[in-house]
Amino acid sequence: MTVSDIEALAREYPDWQPWLLVVEAVMREATDQSWESWVPTVESQNADVPQLSGVQVNADLNKIRRWQQRLLQTAAQSGAPQMSQLNSLQKTEINSAALLEAAVCENDAALKRMADDLGVDPEPFSAVTALIAVPFLHACNRRWQGSRLPGWTAGYCPTCGAWPAFAETRGIERSRYLRCGRCGAEWQAHALFCCFCSNNDHKELGSLVPEKSGSIRAIDTCNQCRGYLKTFTKLQGSAADKIMLDDLASVDLDIAALEQGFKRPPGPGYALNSKVVAKPGLGARLFGRSV
């Protein structure tokens, strides 16, 4: 990710400037190598089970708290009226372990319950705090990609269980890769295959090509589950820290798909049921109290 990438999007979509400030903060933090220091060791991976599934994360809660405060402050001061209320949380006790756990597991219901308990609007709170897990998830993907199960065939991410943000058709071989917008992972997939419902009946699979996209941007659709996936044709895959921006930059494809009655399934592709606890021996404290 470069500053020019953010600036280009801001010029094209001026109303996005507040959210782009949040995204920029997230992607910069995702490059911090120190998050890798408490990535758990995964001995082996079972077929169709993401590497984070059922894992206990012994987290540095002080680091999470600092990052949580910085992200909430960035959102609150971004200029978006809806996010300005998050400034009230700077001096409020928040269970950082529970917050990271809900974000890692894509547990939107838990995030909204936390918002209700804290007395803030659940929509901006959930949208921002869901991104708190991104730096840790990128660290997991960097550490684990060499030990990933060969021949991964599931439609969801082999690292964090999320549905792919989009697909890439690469090179002259036109190999197809799915990309995760949360952790930056990539995994190869079959061309005629719905990642959401595993449908491989070519009669039920289709493609939408908006007029302005030419032949390099399309929307793959499935008539069985009515799901859709954006697909880009390119020589090389996007860098992990640019996937979120590529996803945002192609919002016109999302709009086109929704107008045709297609949608992405809610929630994660795989329920992780991971746990986040305080890392032993760090004396982690939250707002002056032991956690």
Side-chain angles (χ1 to χ4, degrees), residues 18 76 78-86 124:
S78 67
Q82 271 194 309
M83 293 195 290
S84 63
Q85 64 179 292
L86 299 179

Side-chain angles (χ1 to χ4, degrees), residues 2 22 45 94 103 130 147 192 202 210 274 287:
T2 65
V22 174
Q45 183 178 18
I94 300 177
S147 60
L192 294 175
H202 71 278
S274 302
F287 294 97

Side-chain angles (χ1 to χ4, degrees), residues 5 165-180 185-186 213-218 230-250 253:
D5 295 324
F166 53 77
E168 294 173 335
T169 302
R170 300 181 189 167
I172 58 175
E173 301 89 356
R174 299 186 64 81
S175 298
R176 181 179 174 83
Y177 290 84
L178 303 182
R179 302 304 304 273
C180 180
E186 64 175 54
S213 294
S215 60
I216 62 172
R217 300 163 77 242
K230 297 179 291 190
T231 301
F232 310 130
T233 299
K234 52 179 61 178
L235 292 176
Q236 296 179 326
S238 291
D241 65 351
K242 197 171 177 292
I243 294 174
M244 193 176 293
L245 290 180
D246 288 344
D247 190 23
L248 282 172
S250 55
L253 299 183

